[in-house]
Amino acid sequence: MTHAHISTWAVALILFVVAIALQKSGKAKGAKIVSMVLRLFYILIVATGVLLLWNINLTGDYIVKGLMGIVVIGLMEMISVRTRKGKSTTVLWVIFAAAFAYVLYLGFSLDMGMNFF
Ligand code: HEM
């Protein structure tokens, strides 16, 4: 089950980078399509995450992990939208990098699936 969760956020990360790259290179239409698929993957990330939560005791660490996951998704969406509008995203990228690293750390240190930390 953690594999499905990892697959969904890994694909989302790739789509996120592709959408930003397309937008930056002026291919607004392509960026829009990729962004729409990306939003579908947000739903899949949350769905697989909630299914994982369902299978375990709802203790603090897992809830923090889930909430941080939602924050990361929110940041991806904010960066996409601000890039589309041509606004500055530097600060958001820094927060995104930190939040993403923290979610990876939490996910890989909690009991289920793989434990690198
Ligand atoms: C972009 C967003 C997210 C990323 C990058 C992410 C990343 C990860 C990673 C790396 C793991 C560990 C997998 C393993 O050990 O095999 C994991 C597990 C998990 N994730 Fe996420 N996740 C995200 C969003 C979410 C959301 C939105 C939720 C809940 C609503 C959630 C709930 C969980 C739960 C409950 C686990 C199992 C914890 C454990 O490893 O013991 N995740 N996630």
Side-chain angles (χ1 to χ4, degrees):
M1 192 61 233
T2 59
H3 288 118
H5 186 59
I6 293 178
S7 310
T8 53
W9 66 249
V11 172
L13 192 65
I14 295 166
L15 291 173
F16 173 57
V17 174
V18 171
I20 301 283
L22 284 172
Q23 186 68 44
K24 291 249 180 201
S25 57
K27 299 193 176 69
K29 194 164 185 195
K32 195 167 191 174
I33 295 167
V34 176
S35 296
M36 277 165 62
V37 183
L38 176 58
R39 294 206 179 105
L40 182 74
F41 271 85
Y42 292 157
I43 297 171
L44 293 176
I45 296 171
V46 175
T48 52
V50 168
L51 278 175
L52 287 170
L53 280 173
W54 216 263
N55 289 322
I56 45 192
N57 291 323
L58 274 180
T59 52
D61 288 350
Y62 291 101
I63 294 173
V64 172
K65 160 73 185 60
L67 290 177
M68 281 306 292
I70 290 170
V71 169
V72 169
I73 294 173
L75 285 164
M76 292 203 275
E77 184 59 17
M78 283 168 73
I79 292 172
S80 304
V81 170
R82 287 184 67 93
T83 303
R84 202 172 312 143
K85 291 183 176 168
K87 292 188 181 167
S88 161
T89 51
T90 318
V91 178
L92 286 175
W93 275 110
V94 173
I95 304 173
F96 170 75
F100 188 73
Y102 187 51
V103 168
L104 285 188
Y105 168 75
L106 282 176
F108 286 134
S109 62
L110 289 171
D111 294 341
M112 291 176 75
M114 291 177 260
N115 292 304
F116 294 132
F117 298 105

